[in-house]
Amino acid sequence: VLKENIDCFSDDEIFEFMAQLQKLSYVENYSELDEEITDFLSYQDQMNGSGKSRNNISNLLEDYSPKIRQQWIKACVFFDKEDYRNALDNVRLTVELLVKNLTKSESSLENQKKNLGNFLEAKSIDTQIRNYVFKILNIYEKIHNDQAKHDVPESLSFEEVSFIMNQ
């Protein structure tokens, strides 16, 4: 029920709601719930300064299915916890869900190239821009497969993961 009601709020309203919720004595008595809310609210702190691009992405995702934006927010929370593997996994899932939504196809991200190309072409997106999108997706797929899918991405720094997330 909470999920259905909270989906109609903007990100700022969700954060304010969570901040107020955390003040309730009921929540304070359940340390696990209190910790989850604290983690969620830490995302808001990142919105000041370098986190603004993440907020912009979150705002852009408001026009799509709530589960897409929820995956993005999870990626940001994992990133804030320096859990880069799960951050990259959730970024990948965010992109996959977004592409599925745009193309109206349930194929995996790796099998969406033709559908996505057709979608972009139907929107009169220039060929060079379409090629650029596919290059970014190919590079991200390689990074994800090499660094995150089968192992903990120990060789990726904070700055590198941040850069990947903001593409």
Side-chain angles (χ1 to χ4, degrees), residues 49-104:
S50 65
K52 287 188 179 187
S53 61
R54 294 190 314 182
N55 194 28
N56 291 339
I57 292 169
S58 185
N59 289 339
L60 290 171
L61 293 174
E62 285 182 353
D63 294 338
Y64 301 97
S65 166
K67 69 182 179 179
I68 297 171
R69 192 177 66 164
Q70 289 167 354
Q71 291 305 315
W72 173 252
I73 291 172
K74 284 182 184 179
C76 294
V77 170
F78 283 127
F79 176 81
D80 293 340
K81 291 181 175 183
E82 297 181 13
D83 183 350
Y84 299 145
R85 182 190 192 285
N86 283 314
L88 292 173
D89 278 344
N90 281 91
V91 169
R92 186 202 176 285
L93 182 54
T94 301
V95 172
E96 182 167 348
L97 291 172
L98 179 62
V99 170
K100 284 181 176 184
N101 183 283
L102 294 173
T103 63
K104 309 291 188 238

Short mmCIF file of all heavy atoms in Angstrom, two decimals, residues 49-104:
data_model
loop_
_atom_site.label_atom_id
_atom_site.label_comp_id
_atom_site.label_asym_id
_atom_site.label_seq_id
_atom_site.Cartn_x
_atom_site.Cartn_y
_atom_site.Cartn_z
N GLY A 49 25.78 19.04 -4.54
CA GLY A 49 27.10 18.91 -5.11
C GLY A 49 27.12 17.92 -6.25
O GLY A 49 26.32 18.00 -7.17
N SER A 50 28.02 16.94 -6.18
CA SER A 50 28.25 16.02 -7.29
C SER A 50 27.05 15.13 -7.57
O SER A 50 26.96 14.56 -8.65
CB SER A 50 29.48 15.16 -7.02
OG SER A 50 29.25 14.32 -5.91
N GLY A 51 26.15 14.98 -6.63
CA GLY A 51 25.01 14.11 -6.83
C GLY A 51 23.89 14.71 -7.67
O GLY A 51 22.90 14.05 -7.93
N LYS A 52 24.04 15.95 -8.10
CA LYS A 52 22.96 16.59 -8.85
C LYS A 52 22.66 15.87 -10.15
O LYS A 52 21.51 15.81 -10.56
CB LYS A 52 23.27 18.06 -9.11
CG LYS A 52 23.15 18.89 -7.86
CD LYS A 52 23.27 20.35 -8.13
CE LYS A 52 23.09 21.09 -6.81
NZ LYS A 52 23.03 22.51 -6.97
N SER A 53 23.66 15.31 -10.81
CA SER A 53 23.37 14.59 -12.04
C SER A 53 22.55 13.34 -11.75
O SER A 53 21.68 12.97 -12.53
CB SER A 53 24.65 14.23 -12.79
OG SER A 53 25.47 13.41 -12.01
N ARG A 54 22.79 12.71 -10.59
CA ARG A 54 21.97 11.56 -10.21
C ARG A 54 20.53 12.00 -9.99
O ARG A 54 19.61 11.29 -10.34
CB ARG A 54 22.53 10.88 -8.96
CG ARG A 54 23.88 10.26 -9.21
CD ARG A 54 24.36 9.40 -8.11
NE ARG A 54 24.19 9.95 -6.79
CZ ARG A 54 24.60 9.35 -5.69
NH1 ARG A 54 25.19 8.18 -5.75
NH2 ARG A 54 24.41 9.90 -4.51
N ASN A 55 20.34 13.16 -9.38
CA ASN A 55 19.00 13.67 -9.17
C ASN A 55 18.33 13.98 -10.50
O ASN A 55 17.14 13.72 -10.69
CB ASN A 55 19.05 14.92 -8.28
CG ASN A 55 17.67 15.29 -7.75
OD1 ASN A 55 16.82 14.45 -7.58
ND2 ASN A 55 17.48 16.56 -7.52
N ASN A 56 19.10 14.54 -11.43
CA ASN A 56 18.55 14.82 -12.76
C ASN A 56 18.09 13.53 -13.44
O ASN A 56 17.03 13.49 -14.06
CB ASN A 56 19.58 15.54 -13.63
CG ASN A 56 19.84 16.95 -13.17
OD1 ASN A 56 19.04 17.54 -12.46
ND2 ASN A 56 20.99 17.47 -13.54
N ILE A 57 18.89 12.49 -13.33
CA ILE A 57 18.51 11.20 -13.92
C ILE A 57 17.25 10.68 -13.24
O ILE A 57 16.31 10.24 -13.90
CB ILE A 57 19.67 10.19 -13.81
CG1 ILE A 57 20.83 10.63 -14.70
CG2 ILE A 57 19.20 8.78 -14.18
CD1 ILE A 57 22.12 9.86 -14.49
N SER A 58 17.21 10.76 -11.92
CA SER A 58 16.02 10.31 -11.19
C SER A 58 14.79 11.08 -11.63
O SER A 58 13.72 10.50 -11.84
CB SER A 58 16.25 10.48 -9.69
OG SER A 58 15.17 9.95 -8.97
N ASN A 59 14.93 12.38 -11.81
CA ASN A 59 13.80 13.19 -12.27
C ASN A 59 13.36 12.80 -13.68
O ASN A 59 12.16 12.76 -13.97
CB ASN A 59 14.14 14.68 -12.21
CG ASN A 59 14.22 15.19 -10.79
OD1 ASN A 59 13.67 14.59 -9.86
ND2 ASN A 59 14.93 16.28 -10.60
N LEU A 60 14.31 12.52 -14.55
CA LEU A 60 13.96 12.09 -15.91
C LEU A 60 13.21 10.76 -15.89
O LEU A 60 12.32 10.54 -16.70
CB LEU A 60 15.22 11.95 -16.77
CG LEU A 60 15.92 13.24 -17.16
CD1 LEU A 60 17.27 12.93 -17.81
CD2 LEU A 60 15.06 14.06 -18.10
N LEU A 61 13.56 9.90 -14.96
CA LEU A 61 12.93 8.59 -14.88
C LEU A 61 11.51 8.64 -14.30
O LEU A 61 10.79 7.64 -14.37
CB LEU A 61 13.80 7.63 -14.06
CG LEU A 61 15.14 7.27 -14.70
CD1 LEU A 61 15.98 6.43 -13.74
CD2 LEU A 61 14.96 6.56 -16.04
N GLU A 62 11.11 9.78 -13.75
CA GLU A 62 9.76 9.90 -13.19
C GLU A 62 8.68 9.70 -14.25
O GLU A 62 7.55 9.35 -13.91
CB GLU A 62 9.57 11.26 -12.53
CG GLU A 62 10.26 11.38 -11.19
CD GLU A 62 10.03 12.72 -10.53
OE1 GLU A 62 9.45 13.63 -11.16
OE2 GLU A 62 10.44 12.87 -9.37
N ASP A 63 9.02 9.91 -15.51
CA ASP A 63 8.04 9.77 -16.59
C ASP A 63 7.78 8.31 -16.97
O ASP A 63 6.91 8.05 -17.80
CB ASP A 63 8.50 10.53 -17.83
CG ASP A 63 8.54 12.04 -17.61
OD1 ASP A 63 7.84 12.52 -16.69
OD2 ASP A 63 9.27 12.72 -18.34
N TYR A 64 8.53 7.40 -16.38
CA TYR A 64 8.41 5.99 -16.74
C TYR A 64 7.91 5.20 -15.54
O TYR A 64 7.59 5.75 -14.50
CB TYR A 64 9.76 5.47 -17.23
CG TYR A 64 10.25 6.25 -18.44
CD1 TYR A 64 11.15 7.29 -18.30
CD2 TYR A 64 9.75 5.97 -19.71
CE1 TYR A 64 11.58 8.02 -19.40
CE2 TYR A 64 10.17 6.70 -20.81
CZ TYR A 64 11.07 7.73 -20.65
OH TYR A 64 11.48 8.46 -21.74
N SER A 65 7.86 3.91 -15.70
CA SER A 65 7.38 3.02 -14.65
C SER A 65 8.14 3.28 -13.34
O SER A 65 9.36 3.43 -13.37
CB SER A 65 7.59 1.56 -15.09
OG SER A 65 7.45 0.69 -14.01
N PRO A 66 7.43 3.32 -12.21
CA PRO A 66 8.11 3.56 -10.92
C PRO A 66 9.22 2.56 -10.62
O PRO A 66 10.19 2.90 -9.97
CB PRO A 66 6.98 3.44 -9.90
CG PRO A 66 5.74 3.71 -10.66
CD PRO A 66 5.98 3.21 -12.06
N LYS A 67 9.09 1.33 -11.12
CA LYS A 67 10.12 0.34 -10.82
C LYS A 67 11.45 0.70 -11.47
O LYS A 67 12.51 0.34 -10.96
CB LYS A 67 9.69 -1.08 -11.18
CG LYS A 67 9.57 -1.38 -12.64
CD LYS A 67 9.09 -2.81 -12.84
CE LYS A 67 8.94 -3.14 -14.31
NZ LYS A 67 8.51 -4.52 -14.48
N ILE A 68 11.42 1.47 -12.56
CA ILE A 68 12.67 1.89 -13.20
C ILE A 68 13.39 2.87 -12.27
O ILE A 68 14.58 2.71 -11.98
CB ILE A 68 12.40 2.53 -14.58
CG1 ILE A 68 11.77 1.49 -15.53
CG2 ILE A 68 13.68 3.10 -15.17
CD1 ILE A 68 11.27 2.07 -16.84
N ARG A 69 12.68 3.86 -11.80
CA ARG A 69 13.28 4.86 -10.90
C ARG A 69 13.71 4.21 -9.58
O ARG A 69 14.75 4.56 -9.02
CB ARG A 69 12.33 6.00 -10.65
CG ARG A 69 13.03 7.18 -9.96
CD ARG A 69 12.11 8.32 -9.79
NE ARG A 69 11.07 7.92 -8.86
CZ ARG A 69 10.25 8.72 -8.24
NH1 ARG A 69 10.30 9.99 -8.46
NH2 ARG A 69 9.35 8.28 -7.40
N GLN A 70 12.95 3.26 -9.09
CA GLN A 70 13.31 2.58 -7.85
C GLN A 70 14.64 1.85 -7.99
O GLN A 70 15.45 1.86 -7.06
CB GLN A 70 12.21 1.61 -7.43
CG GLN A 70 10.96 2.31 -6.95
CD GLN A 70 9.77 1.38 -6.83
OE1 GLN A 70 9.81 0.23 -7.22
NE2 GLN A 70 8.68 1.92 -6.30
N GLN A 71 14.87 1.23 -9.14
CA GLN A 71 16.15 0.55 -9.36
C GLN A 71 17.29 1.56 -9.40
O GLN A 71 18.39 1.30 -8.91
CB GLN A 71 16.12 -0.28 -10.64
CG GLN A 71 15.22 -1.49 -10.57
CD GLN A 71 15.54 -2.38 -9.39
OE1 GLN A 71 16.69 -2.68 -9.10
NE2 GLN A 71 14.51 -2.82 -8.68
N TRP A 72 17.03 2.73 -10.01
CA TRP A 72 18.06 3.78 -10.04
C TRP A 72 18.39 4.25 -8.62
O TRP A 72 19.56 4.41 -8.27
CB TRP A 72 17.59 4.94 -10.92
CG TRP A 72 18.53 6.10 -10.84
CD1 TRP A 72 18.31 7.29 -10.22
CD2 TRP A 72 19.85 6.17 -11.38
NE1 TRP A 72 19.40 8.10 -10.36
CE2 TRP A 72 20.38 7.44 -11.06
CE3 TRP A 72 20.64 5.28 -12.11
CZ2 TRP A 72 21.65 7.84 -11.42
CZ3 TRP A 72 21.91 5.68 -12.48
CH2 TRP A 72 22.41 6.94 -12.14
N ILE A 73 17.37 4.46 -7.81
CA ILE A 73 17.60 4.90 -6.44
C ILE A 73 18.37 3.84 -5.66
O ILE A 73 19.29 4.15 -4.91
CB ILE A 73 16.27 5.28 -5.75
CG1 ILE A 73 15.71 6.56 -6.38
CG2 ILE A 73 16.44 5.45 -4.25
CD1 ILE A 73 14.32 6.94 -5.92
N LYS A 74 18.04 2.58 -5.87
CA LYS A 74 18.79 1.49 -5.23
C LYS A 74 20.25 1.54 -5.65
O LYS A 74 21.16 1.36 -4.83
CB LYS A 74 18.20 0.12 -5.58
CG LYS A 74 16.94 -0.22 -4.86
CD LYS A 74 16.49 -1.62 -5.26
CE LYS A 74 15.18 -1.99 -4.64
NZ LYS A 74 14.74 -3.34 -5.05
N ALA A 75 20.49 1.78 -6.94
CA ALA A 75 21.88 1.87 -7.43
C ALA A 75 22.62 2.98 -6.70
O ALA A 75 23.78 2.82 -6.29
CB ALA A 75 21.90 2.11 -8.93
N CYS A 76 21.96 4.10 -6.51
CA CYS A 76 22.58 5.24 -5.82
C CYS A 76 22.85 4.94 -4.35
O CYS A 76 23.91 5.32 -3.82
CB CYS A 76 21.71 6.48 -5.96
SG CYS A 76 21.59 7.07 -7.67
N VAL A 77 21.94 4.24 -3.70
CA VAL A 77 22.15 3.86 -2.31
C VAL A 77 23.33 2.90 -2.20
O VAL A 77 24.20 3.06 -1.33
CB VAL A 77 20.86 3.26 -1.69
CG1 VAL A 77 21.14 2.64 -0.34
CG2 VAL A 77 19.78 4.34 -1.59
N PHE A 78 23.40 1.92 -3.08
CA PHE A 78 24.54 1.00 -3.08
C PHE A 78 25.85 1.76 -3.33
O PHE A 78 26.86 1.51 -2.68
CB PHE A 78 24.39 -0.10 -4.14
CG PHE A 78 23.43 -1.20 -3.76
CD1 PHE A 78 22.39 -1.55 -4.61
CD2 PHE A 78 23.56 -1.89 -2.56
CE1 PHE A 78 21.51 -2.57 -4.27
CE2 PHE A 78 22.68 -2.90 -2.21
CZ PHE A 78 21.66 -3.24 -3.07
N PHE A 79 25.81 2.70 -4.25
CA PHE A 79 27.00 3.50 -4.55
C PHE A 79 27.44 4.26 -3.29
O PHE A 79 28.63 4.29 -2.96
CB PHE A 79 26.71 4.47 -5.69
CG PHE A 79 27.85 5.39 -5.99
CD1 PHE A 79 28.91 4.95 -6.77
CD2 PHE A 79 27.86 6.68 -5.50
CE1 PHE A 79 29.97 5.80 -7.05
CE2 PHE A 79 28.92 7.54 -5.77
CZ PHE A 79 29.99 7.09 -6.55
N ASP A 80 26.49 4.85 -2.60
CA ASP A 80 26.82 5.60 -1.38
C ASP A 80 27.43 4.72 -0.31
O ASP A 80 28.22 5.18 0.50
CB ASP A 80 25.57 6.29 -0.83
CG ASP A 80 25.07 7.40 -1.75
OD1 ASP A 80 25.85 7.88 -2.59
OD2 ASP A 80 23.88 7.77 -1.62
N LYS A 81 27.06 3.45 -0.31
CA LYS A 81 27.62 2.49 0.65
C LYS A 81 28.94 1.89 0.16
O LYS A 81 29.49 1.00 0.80
CB LYS A 81 26.63 1.34 0.89
CG LYS A 81 25.39 1.71 1.63
CD LYS A 81 24.54 0.46 1.80
CE LYS A 81 23.33 0.71 2.63
NZ LYS A 81 22.55 -0.53 2.84
N GLU A 82 29.40 2.36 -1.00
CA GLU A 82 30.60 1.86 -1.67
C GLU A 82 30.46 0.39 -2.05
O GLU A 82 31.45 -0.34 -2.13
CB GLU A 82 31.84 2.10 -0.82
CG GLU A 82 32.11 3.58 -0.60
CD GLU A 82 33.34 3.85 0.22
OE1 GLU A 82 34.16 2.94 0.44
OE2 GLU A 82 33.49 5.02 0.65
N ASP A 83 29.24 -0.04 -2.29
CA ASP A 83 28.95 -1.39 -2.79
C ASP A 83 28.81 -1.26 -4.31
O ASP A 83 27.71 -1.23 -4.85
CB ASP A 83 27.66 -1.91 -2.15
CG ASP A 83 27.33 -3.34 -2.56
OD1 ASP A 83 27.98 -3.87 -3.50
OD2 ASP A 83 26.39 -3.91 -1.97
N TYR A 84 29.96 -1.17 -4.98
CA TYR A 84 29.98 -0.84 -6.39
C TYR A 84 29.42 -1.96 -7.26
O TYR A 84 28.84 -1.70 -8.31
CB TYR A 84 31.38 -0.46 -6.84
CG TYR A 84 31.92 0.76 -6.12
CD1 TYR A 84 33.25 0.87 -5.79
CD2 TYR A 84 31.07 1.80 -5.75
CE1 TYR A 84 33.74 1.99 -5.13
CE2 TYR A 84 31.54 2.92 -5.09
CZ TYR A 84 32.88 3.01 -4.78
OH TYR A 84 33.35 4.11 -4.13
N ARG A 85 29.59 -3.20 -6.83
CA ARG A 85 29.05 -4.31 -7.62
C ARG A 85 27.53 -4.20 -7.73
O ARG A 85 26.96 -4.25 -8.82
CB ARG A 85 29.42 -5.66 -7.01
CG ARG A 85 28.91 -6.82 -7.85
CD ARG A 85 29.04 -8.16 -7.13
NE ARG A 85 28.83 -9.25 -8.04
CZ ARG A 85 27.64 -9.62 -8.49
NH1 ARG A 85 26.56 -8.96 -8.16
NH2 ARG A 85 27.51 -10.66 -9.30
N ASN A 86 26.86 -4.03 -6.60
CA ASN A 86 25.40 -3.92 -6.62
C ASN A 86 24.95 -2.61 -7.26
O ASN A 86 23.90 -2.56 -7.89
CB ASN A 86 24.82 -4.09 -5.22
CG ASN A 86 24.82 -5.55 -4.80
OD1 ASN A 86 24.42 -6.42 -5.57
ND2 ASN A 86 25.30 -5.82 -3.60
N ALA A 87 25.74 -1.56 -7.10
CA ALA A 87 25.41 -0.29 -7.77
C ALA A 87 25.40 -0.50 -9.27
O ALA A 87 24.45 -0.11 -9.96
CB ALA A 87 26.40 0.80 -7.38
N LEU A 88 26.44 -1.14 -9.79
CA LEU A 88 26.51 -1.37 -11.24
C LEU A 88 25.43 -2.33 -11.71
O LEU A 88 24.86 -2.15 -12.79
CB LEU A 88 27.90 -1.89 -11.63
CG LEU A 88 29.03 -0.87 -11.48
CD1 LEU A 88 30.39 -1.53 -11.71
CD2 LEU A 88 28.84 0.31 -12.40
N ASP A 89 25.12 -3.35 -10.90
CA ASP A 89 24.02 -4.26 -11.25
C ASP A 89 22.70 -3.51 -11.36
O ASP A 89 21.92 -3.74 -12.29
CB ASP A 89 23.88 -5.37 -10.21
CG ASP A 89 24.86 -6.52 -10.41
OD1 ASP A 89 25.44 -6.63 -11.51
OD2 ASP A 89 25.04 -7.30 -9.46
N ASN A 90 22.45 -2.61 -10.42
CA ASN A 90 21.18 -1.88 -10.45
C ASN A 90 21.15 -0.83 -11.55
O ASN A 90 20.08 -0.56 -12.09
CB ASN A 90 20.88 -1.27 -9.08
CG ASN A 90 20.33 -2.30 -8.13
OD1 ASN A 90 21.07 -2.94 -7.41
ND2 ASN A 90 19.03 -2.49 -8.15
N VAL A 91 22.28 -0.26 -11.89
CA VAL A 91 22.32 0.65 -13.04
C VAL A 91 21.97 -0.13 -14.30
O VAL A 91 21.17 0.31 -15.13
CB VAL A 91 23.70 1.34 -13.19
CG1 VAL A 91 23.80 2.06 -14.52
CG2 VAL A 91 23.93 2.31 -12.05
N ARG A 92 22.57 -1.30 -14.44
CA ARG A 92 22.29 -2.13 -15.61
C ARG A 92 20.81 -2.49 -15.68
O ARG A 92 20.18 -2.40 -16.74
CB ARG A 92 23.12 -3.40 -15.59
CG ARG A 92 22.96 -4.22 -16.86
CD ARG A 92 23.32 -5.68 -16.64
NE ARG A 92 23.05 -6.43 -17.84
CZ ARG A 92 21.86 -6.78 -18.27
NH1 ARG A 92 20.78 -6.42 -17.62
NH2 ARG A 92 21.70 -7.46 -19.38
N LEU A 93 20.23 -2.87 -14.55
CA LEU A 93 18.81 -3.21 -14.52
C LEU A 93 17.95 -1.99 -14.84
O LEU A 93 16.96 -2.09 -15.57
CB LEU A 93 18.43 -3.79 -13.15
CG LEU A 93 16.98 -4.23 -13.00
CD1 LEU A 93 16.56 -5.22 -14.08
CD2 LEU A 93 16.77 -4.82 -11.60
N THR A 94 18.35 -0.82 -14.37
CA THR A 94 17.63 0.41 -14.69
C THR A 94 17.62 0.63 -16.19
O THR A 94 16.57 0.92 -16.79
CB THR A 94 18.28 1.63 -13.99
OG1 THR A 94 18.27 1.42 -12.58
CG2 THR A 94 17.56 2.91 -14.34
N VAL A 95 18.78 0.50 -16.81
CA VAL A 95 18.89 0.70 -18.26
C VAL A 95 18.06 -0.35 -19.00
O VAL A 95 17.32 -0.02 -19.93
CB VAL A 95 20.37 0.67 -18.72
CG1 VAL A 95 20.47 0.67 -20.24
CG2 VAL A 95 21.13 1.84 -18.12
N GLU A 96 18.15 -1.59 -18.56
CA GLU A 96 17.40 -2.66 -19.22
C GLU A 96 15.89 -2.41 -19.12
O GLU A 96 15.17 -2.53 -20.12
CB GLU A 96 17.74 -4.02 -18.62
CG GLU A 96 17.02 -5.16 -19.32
CD GLU A 96 17.56 -6.53 -18.97
OE1 GLU A 96 18.64 -6.63 -18.37
OE2 GLU A 96 16.90 -7.50 -19.35
N LEU A 97 15.41 -2.05 -17.94
CA LEU A 97 13.98 -1.79 -17.78
C LEU A 97 13.53 -0.58 -18.61
O LEU A 97 12.44 -0.59 -19.19
CB LEU A 97 13.65 -1.55 -16.30
CG LEU A 97 13.78 -2.76 -15.38
CD1 LEU A 97 13.62 -2.35 -13.92
CD2 LEU A 97 12.80 -3.86 -15.75
N LEU A 98 14.38 0.44 -18.68
CA LEU A 98 14.05 1.61 -19.49
C LEU A 98 13.96 1.25 -20.97
O LEU A 98 13.01 1.62 -21.66
CB LEU A 98 15.08 2.73 -19.27
CG LEU A 98 14.85 4.00 -20.08
CD1 LEU A 98 13.52 4.65 -19.71
CD2 LEU A 98 16.01 4.97 -19.86
N VAL A 99 14.93 0.49 -21.45
CA VAL A 99 14.92 0.09 -22.86
C VAL A 99 13.72 -0.80 -23.16
O VAL A 99 13.06 -0.63 -24.19
CB VAL A 99 16.25 -0.60 -23.25
CG1 VAL A 99 16.17 -1.23 -24.64
CG2 VAL A 99 17.40 0.41 -23.19
N LYS A 100 13.39 -1.71 -22.26
CA LYS A 100 12.20 -2.55 -22.44
C LYS A 100 10.94 -1.69 -22.53
O LYS A 100 10.06 -1.95 -23.34
CB LYS A 100 12.06 -3.55 -21.28
CG LYS A 100 13.01 -4.72 -21.36
CD LYS A 100 12.78 -5.65 -20.18
CE LYS A 100 13.65 -6.89 -20.28
NZ LYS A 100 13.38 -7.84 -19.19
N ASN A 101 10.88 -0.67 -21.69
CA ASN A 101 9.74 0.22 -21.68
C ASN A 101 9.65 0.98 -23.00
O ASN A 101 8.57 1.11 -23.58
CB ASN A 101 9.84 1.19 -20.50
CG ASN A 101 8.66 2.11 -20.37
OD1 ASN A 101 8.54 3.08 -21.11
ND2 ASN A 101 7.79 1.80 -19.43
N LEU A 102 10.76 1.49 -23.48
CA LEU A 102 10.78 2.27 -24.72
C LEU A 102 10.45 1.43 -25.94
O LEU A 102 9.72 1.87 -26.82
CB LEU A 102 12.15 2.94 -24.91
CG LEU A 102 12.54 4.01 -23.88
CD1 LEU A 102 13.97 4.44 -24.11
CD2 LEU A 102 11.59 5.19 -23.94
N THR A 103 11.01 0.23 -25.98
CA THR A 103 10.85 -0.61 -27.17
C THR A 103 9.63 -1.51 -27.12
O THR A 103 9.29 -2.15 -28.11
CB THR A 103 12.10 -1.50 -27.37
OG1 THR A 103 12.22 -2.40 -26.26
CG2 THR A 103 13.36 -0.67 -27.53
N LYS A 104 9.00 -1.57 -25.94
CA LYS A 104 7.83 -2.45 -25.75
C LYS A 104 8.19 -3.91 -26.03
O LYS A 104 7.38 -4.68 -26.54
CB LYS A 104 6.64 -2.03 -26.62
CG LYS A 104 6.28 -0.57 -26.53
CD LYS A 104 5.69 -0.21 -25.19
CE LYS A 104 5.16 1.21 -25.19
NZ LYS A 104 5.75 2.06 -24.21
#
